[in-house]
Amino acid sequence: MNFLAHSFLTFNDGQIVGQFLEDFIRNKDRYSFPKDIQDGITLHRSIDTFTDSHPAIHEAKKVFSPLVRLYAGAFVDVSMDYFLANDFSLNSLKGWKEHSLKVYRVLNEHERFLSENFKKMLAKMEHDDWLFNYREDWGIKFSIQNVLNKAKYLDKDIPVFQAFLDNKEVLQKCYDDFFPDLLAHVKAENARLQLQK
């Protein structure tokens, strides 16, 4: 769900592809890709595991749990992309735009590895520039609604976006407490992966 974070937490083009592929492939297929794409898949899984266990993420889930119960994590993921896209200590506004364009370019250049479902999503993502527009309230509202629409057991009119707006300060603090730890974790994980070459 948090496409911006997964694309940002990479160290080469192959890892960008792998980070996106993770949600679209079967586990047994991961070893059919080049090593750098496999590394991206591994990083994606490591990010998810680290995120799920972090105390700040547990706090953030409390914002959404009363509304969506077990789906709270998905909405926290989306929320974290909003705060990342507005984190100018990590990138400038121009830098975030350049990052978004680079990700679309890299994914299109590796089209042969992408499933048909992913290609359809990528076309929409690029057309509406999801990655850059996560910084806007309307961009996150769109993403939240997208999660609601895809969730089998949730009413499509649950006021999740309003909960996001009402709790921005709480969620911002959770992001501030969480993301530096995640960044350090990913750097260490990437260093480990590079030693395996």
Side-chain angles (χ1 to χ4, degrees), residues 167-184:
N167 292 277
K168 259 191 187 180
E169 289 186 13
V170 172
L171 292 167
Q172 176 74 64
K173 184 177 187 314
C174 291
Y175 169 83
D176 293 341
D177 291 343
F178 161 68
F179 206 81
D181 292 348
L182 177 61
L183 196 55

Side-chain angles (χ1 to χ4, degrees), residues 156-195:
K156 309 313 174 199
D157 297 321
I158 297 172
V160 179
F161 178 62
Q162 191 60 50
F164 168 81
L165 292 178
D166 292 344
N167 292 277
K168 259 191 187 180
E169 289 186 13
V170 172
L171 292 167
Q172 176 74 64
K173 184 177 187 314
C174 291
Y175 169 83
D176 293 341
D177 291 343
F178 161 68
F179 206 81
D181 292 348
L182 177 61
L183 196 55
H185 169 77
V186 171
K187 287 178 180 176
E189 181 70 3
N190 182 62
R192 185 186 68 78
L193 290 170
Q194 299 318 303
L195 290 175

Side-chain angles (χ1 to χ4, degrees), residues 56-186:
I57 297 301
H58 287 275
E59 282 301 306
K61 285 180 180 179
K62 292 177 183 178
V63 168
F64 301 110
S65 292
L67 293 170
V68 296
R69 299 182 182 271
L70 295 177
Y71 286 89
F75 295 103
V76 170
D77 284 351
V78 171
S79 300
M80 291 301 109
D81 267 2
Y82 171 86
F83 296 107
L84 176 60
N86 286 288
D87 189 341
F88 299 122
S89 71
L90 295 175
N91 216 342
S92 65
L93 184 63
K94 180 183 177 185
W96 283 121
K97 183 65 175 180
E98 290 172 349
H99 171 78
S100 301
L101 294 174
K102 175 187 176 181
V103 171
Y104 306 139
R105 175 183 56 76
V106 167
L107 292 172
N108 282 302
E109 286 174 353
H110 292 79
E111 182 183 15
R112 65 192 180 279
F113 296 114
L114 309 180
S115 68
E116 289 307 313
N117 284 345
F118 184 86
K119 289 177 189 176
K120 289 177 185 174
M121 187 195 75
L122 175 59
K124 294 176 185 174
M125 180 185 291
E126 186 172 11
H127 180 268
D128 295 326
D129 200 357
W130 293 2
L131 296 178
F132 184 69
N133 287 321
Y134 284 141
R135 61 186 300 273
E136 306 286 355
D137 284 356
W138 63 263
I140 288 302
K141 182 179 183 181
F142 174 85
S143 297
I144 285 172
Q145 193 59 51
N146 199 26
V147 175
L148 280 171
N149 291 341
K150 289 180 179 178
K152 288 184 179 179
Y153 304 108
L154 292 180
D155 185 277
K156 309 313 174 199
D157 297 321
I158 297 172
V160 179
F161 178 62
Q162 191 60 50
F164 168 81
L165 292 178
D166 292 344
N167 292 277
K168 259 191 187 180
E169 289 186 13
V170 172
L171 292 167
Q172 176 74 64
K173 184 177 187 314
C174 291
Y175 169 83
D176 293 341
D177 291 343
F178 161 68
F179 206 81
D181 292 348
L182 177 61
L183 196 55
H185 169 77
V186 171

